[in-house]
Amino acid sequence: MWFQRTVVALLLLTVAGLATTSYIDWKINTQLQTLRSFVEGYVFADAVAACERASSSTPFKWNGGTSTRVIGLNSVKLDKYNVVASYTLVADGVFCDFDPIKKKASIGSNFLERD
């Protein structure tokens, strides 16, 4: 009888632990999505301005573009210590990567041929 009670108690503790970790994971993901949306909204105006000013053979026209998309905030881990963030916009097939730290934009016409 004691064995059955112990097994049931351990099972209930396991279920409660899984429910708690699932709730904490959901709460943290919700907060991170909110933070990401805030950062993307904050960077958007600077990104558009820098992309339109950037010199390139293919001009980037966000305001006059017929097909514009925001790919969003991305990050690339270069090595163990360096992470580079970029905010990507697409206007009429021209990709523009904006570095929010350096406030610099780079333009490319093909997603696969970009730096």
Side-chain angles (χ1 to χ4, degrees):
M1 194 66 172
W2 286 101
F3 179 73
Q4 290 174 345
R5 290 181 182 168
T6 304
V7 169
V8 168
L10 288 175
L11 181 64
L12 289 175
L13 283 174
T14 303
V15 169
L18 286 174
T20 303
T21 57
S22 296
Y23 174 75
I24 291 171
D25 184 48
W26 170 77
K27 195 72 168 166
I28 289 173
N29 281 336
T30 303
Q31 290 175 350
L32 287 175
Q33 288 174 352
T34 304
L35 178 66
R36 182 177 174 154
S37 298
F38 176 76
V39 169
E40 286 183 352
Y42 181 75
V43 171
F44 177 74
D46 291 338
V48 170
C51 287
E52 287 186 342
R53 282 192 315 259
S55 61
S56 175
S57 60
T58 55
F60 185 84
K61 301 290 182 190
W62 181 265
N63 293 323
T66 58
S67 174
T68 57
R69 299 277 185 266
V70 175
I71 293 178
L73 193 62
N74 306 307
S75 64
V76 176
K77 190 169 186 177
L78 296 177
D79 57 22
K80 187 175 179 180
Y81 301 106
N82 296 326
V83 175
V84 177
S86 69
Y87 188 77
T88 306
L89 302 171
V90 181
D92 296 332
V94 178
F95 288 85
C96 179
D97 290 323
F98 175 71
D99 184 355
I101 306 297
K102 296 178 184 176
K103 304 282 186 190
K104 183 181 175 188
S106 60
I107 295 177
S109 60
N110 187 345
F111 184 76
L112 297 176
E113 295 175 0
R114 297 181 303 149
D115 297 355

